[in-house]
Amino acid sequence: MPPSDLTTFLSGSDSPPPDAGRSDGATPPPFEPAARVGRGTAPATDPPAATSGSAYRGGGGTVVASGAVTVGSRYEVIAHLPMPEYDRPYANAFEARDLKKPKRMAIGYVCTTGRPLRLDLLPSLLRLDNEALLKVRSFGVSRWIEDGRETPILVYARPPGRRILRTADDRIDPYRDDILVRCIIKPMSQVLRDLRARRVFHGCINPTNLYRAGGETPAVLGDCVAAPAGLGQPALYQTVERMQCTPAGRGAGTNADDLYALGVTLVALLKGRAPLDGMSDAEILESKLANGSFGAVVGDHRLPLDLVEPIKGLLLDEPDDRWTVDDLDQWLSGRRLTPKQARSPVQAVRPLHHAGADHWQPRRLAIALAEEPELRPNTISLPDLDAWLRRGLSDDAIADRVQEAVRGGQAGSNPTLGHRRLARLCIALDPTGPIRYRGVATTIDGIAALLSEEYISGKGPQIPAEIIAGNLPLFWVSVQARHTSDHATWARQFEAMRTLLDQEIPGFGIERVLYELNPSMPCRSPFLDGFYILQCDQLLRALETIADRRDAPRDPIDRHIAGFILSRYPNLSPRQMRAIGRADDPVARALGALDVLTTLQADARVHPLPGLCRWIVRLLKPGLQTLHSRKRRERLLRDIDKQAATGLLRNIQMLMQEDASPAKDSGEFAAARAEYRTHAREIRQLTRKLETRHAVSRDTGQQMAALASSIAAAGLLAIIVVWQAA
């Protein structure tokens, strides 16, 4: 589900939202309940009150005096009443109470592992009414009493009884064939038909997730939302293709995968225990590859004759041959079908020896090669491999794919080149298998969940990032024999993700890819620890809460928050994100953060946010101190505190744009300097003119005085001459 659809669902009331589209997800170790959350007391400080625009369903949840937390507007989950008999691998069960119908029994699943939930399924499941599927009542994020952390909580109707198998290793009395048909096959067929109509993959069909009250009551199928797809599903109940994958990389399954899990479940109930018990996952996979799923799972157990047909049809390894829900319905109605015979894998006429073993099939060789650290010249002889494929297997198509895989993986000098070449070789040998890379195996649609799991487990995103950067998803699509619309969608998606990886500015890189591929992934920013942020209005309220803490970070937006925001608002300007990444300019970072957060506040209508405004003002004030205009500087320092008190980031933004623009201040300062230089030049010119005037006057006076003296002397001389002559 895209983020916008998720927002629509989460911000709604308790009434079920419209149906959603297909599911997505990842996958799983054997059934082990999550570490149980202990009892405790409410935290000293309550979570911030949610406004009407809250994306937390029902307002975010509060702790009430009874030691319960609210979920939505009508349910309370009682923290001191755990129900471990209903625990799931990644969620703990507690008693829940319906405030409007107190007699209605419910349970709350508290999901404390931090893994993304399959929230895209909730719109469909809330509307689905099937007595054989545990009913989802509500969902919300509440501050859990034990640790004060925001935690997603699912509220379900109370199961009618206990789970059929308490653990994967439990043993029970074998089911009679007539009970199996009435209580398991018939209700599960109805559930799978309804799920198929909504394009929902359940992913958790096994005896530890089936509940019965005893007698001849039909079974009820349990939760499938509390963890990524199939992550709580034991490997035994996975198809051969999904078993080859790393648990978190099994991806979104199909209705055919659920039918396969049902087939294994039927055999387990007929035996009274899990088939192949005591064997490791690797040994179970080897048995399925060697004997086919039907031969491996059933073994030497004698099935009731009436059930051989459906079980064999459900356990066919080829998805195209496997029984569908329609086939199962026809069998239930009395029409007997003849399942297609299991297709044996094509084998070479002679083996290829590698790593001390003989390999007769390309898939087996791909599995063995995936154990190598990388493709080196001595890993395998490529000429011998080509000869084996063309002569021993008589398959020129595979041989051509292998040559293309090796040629296309030779470009560049990246240190991951050897790993990438080996992965391409394995894909070429086993195109329907997973992408195998550096000890990890994932389906193309399991890369998203694999990336989230690598973050949560603390391993880091390096391997999923290299898979995407190495163009392995696109190569996997290119070698498929049949192309579907999903293949084209995946090709476009991962080409876009590769482009995002290449950009280093905040809002891009692997963090952006994480949230683009996982819309239900809460923001993983380190300073949002304790919050469960799914939407940007929640992000704003969380930043408001931590704004005045002593341990608040320097800047309100880090790379995770930037990637999270851009995955919800892809049209935000890259210029703003570049400003946030200016390590050398704290004022530019603050202005970039102000622009982004102002957009979020206006769109989410979360008002007011005085703490966040004060945080931004603290970052802006050093820049205001550098303004050249003393009057403007004093006025802005006074006015910006007033605007921060309003809690509206837009007011601060307008003030900065109108009166505190660094460009405007620099321009005015430059104009003032230019004007000063002009006036100084004019003064110098006038001074020079004045100095010149004094010199001219002096010279002229001296000349006039000399002339007057000469005339006077001449006159006096003339008088003397005349006088003497007389």
Side-chain angles (χ1 to χ4, degrees), residues 143 149-150 523-532 546 549:
R143 196 167 290 271
R149 302 170 66 88
E150 289 182 348
C523 186
R524 298 282 301 173
S525 172
F527 59 82
L528 291 177
D529 186 44
F531 294 90
Y532 196 89
I546 66 177
R549 290 180 180 174

Side-chain angles (χ1 to χ4, degrees), residues 334-623:
R335 181 181 174 185
R336 294 299 177 251
L337 305 174
T338 302
K340 296 180 181 179
Q341 294 299 315
R343 288 187 248 173
S344 299
V346 177
Q347 295 199 125
V349 296
R350 59 181 177 84
L352 179 68
H353 190 78
H354 172 73
D358 289 334
H359 302 284
W360 298 84
Q361 303 165 13
R363 167 172 281 182
R364 294 296 195 95
L365 179 59
I367 294 173
L369 284 172
E371 300 296 325
E372 300 287 344
E374 60 180 346
L375 187 59
R376 301 189 181 104
N378 61 348
T379 300
I380 190 170
S381 171
L382 295 178
D384 290 348
L385 175 59
D386 185 76
W388 179 69
L389 292 172
R390 296 185 188 278
R391 299 173 190 170
L393 201 63
S394 300
D395 197 326
D396 290 343
I398 295 182
D400 292 341
R401 283 202 306 265
V402 167
Q403 288 189 352
E404 173 60 26
V406 176
R407 280 198 307 268
Q410 289 176 344
S413 57
N414 191 292
T416 65
L417 178 61
H419 303 302
R420 186 166 70 244
R421 292 178 64 206
L422 181 61
R424 289 169 62 93
L425 177 58
C426 292
I427 292 171
L429 288 169
D430 183 19
T432 62
I435 298 170
R436 302 174 174 94
Y437 185 83
R438 292 182 60 185
V440 168
T442 175
T443 62
I444 188 170
D445 58 344
I447 295 174
L450 176 66
L451 177 58
S452 70
E453 186 68 17
E454 295 292 282
Y455 262 109
I456 292 168
S457 64
K459 297 177 182 177
Q462 187 65 30
I463 289 180
E466 290 178 8
I467 290 174
I468 297 171
N471 240 1
L472 296 179
L474 272 69
F475 180 71
W476 183 91
V477 168
S478 70
V479 301
Q480 298 308 302
R482 292 186 306 172
H483 290 280
T484 67
S485 60
D486 285 340
H487 291 150
T489 300
W490 290 327
R492 289 192 299 269
Q493 181 184 49
F494 283 103
E495 182 61 33
M497 295 303 105
R498 194 161 67 95
T499 302
L500 293 177
L501 274 179
D502 292 339
Q503 303 185 56
E504 297 181 356
I505 65 174
F508 294 83
I510 191 61
E511 295 86 2
R512 172 76 174 278
V513 172
L514 172 66
Y515 300 113
E516 289 284 354
L517 294 179
N518 295 279
S520 299
M521 184 76 177
C523 186
R524 298 282 301 173
S525 172
F527 59 82
L528 291 177
D529 186 44
F531 294 90
Y532 196 89
I533 307 299
L534 293 174
Q535 297 300 330
C536 288
D537 59 339
Q538 303 170 7
L539 172 63
L540 290 174
R541 277 185 284 274
L543 293 176
E544 172 71 10
T545 300
I546 66 177
D548 292 322
R549 290 180 180 174
R550 292 182 179 179
D551 60 346
R554 179 188 64 184
D555 298 310
I557 298 180
D558 62 4
R559 290 192 63 88
H560 266 285
I561 291 179
F564 180 85
I565 291 173
L566 270 184
S567 70
R568 272 69 178 165
Y569 290 86
N571 294 326
L572 283 174
S573 170
R575 175 187 58 80
Q576 298 168 326
M577 291 302 170
R578 289 192 185 94
I580 292 173
R582 292 278 300 276
D584 60 333
D585 192 341
V587 177
R589 288 199 310 271
L591 289 171
L594 174 61
D595 288 346
V596 171
L597 296 174
T598 298
T599 300
L600 299 190
Q601 186 180 32
D603 185 78
R605 299 181 181 178
V606 181
H607 306 129
L609 298 171
L612 183 55
C613 287
R614 287 192 297 271
W615 191 351
I616 293 294
V617 166
R618 288 198 300 270
L619 299 176
L620 291 174
K621 279 186 174 181

Side-chain angles (χ1 to χ4, degrees), residues 295-367:
V297 172
V298 175
D300 56 3
H301 184 80
R302 296 189 61 180
L303 297 176
L305 292 178
D306 289 344
L307 294 178
V308 171
E309 185 181 353
I311 291 176
K312 193 170 186 178
L314 293 172
L315 292 181
L316 288 172
D317 286 318
E318 285 292 333
D320 292 341
D321 297 339
R322 193 174 302 144
W323 269 23
T324 65
V325 174
D326 296 331
D327 294 329
L328 197 57
D329 286 343
Q330 290 184 32
W331 180 83
L332 286 170
S333 64
R335 181 181 174 185
R336 294 299 177 251
L337 305 174
T338 302
K340 296 180 181 179
Q341 294 299 315
R343 288 187 248 173
S344 299
V346 177
Q347 295 199 125
V349 296
R350 59 181 177 84
L352 179 68
H353 190 78
H354 172 73
D358 289 334
H359 302 284
W360 298 84
Q361 303 165 13
R363 167 172 281 182
R364 294 296 195 95
L365 179 59
I367 294 173

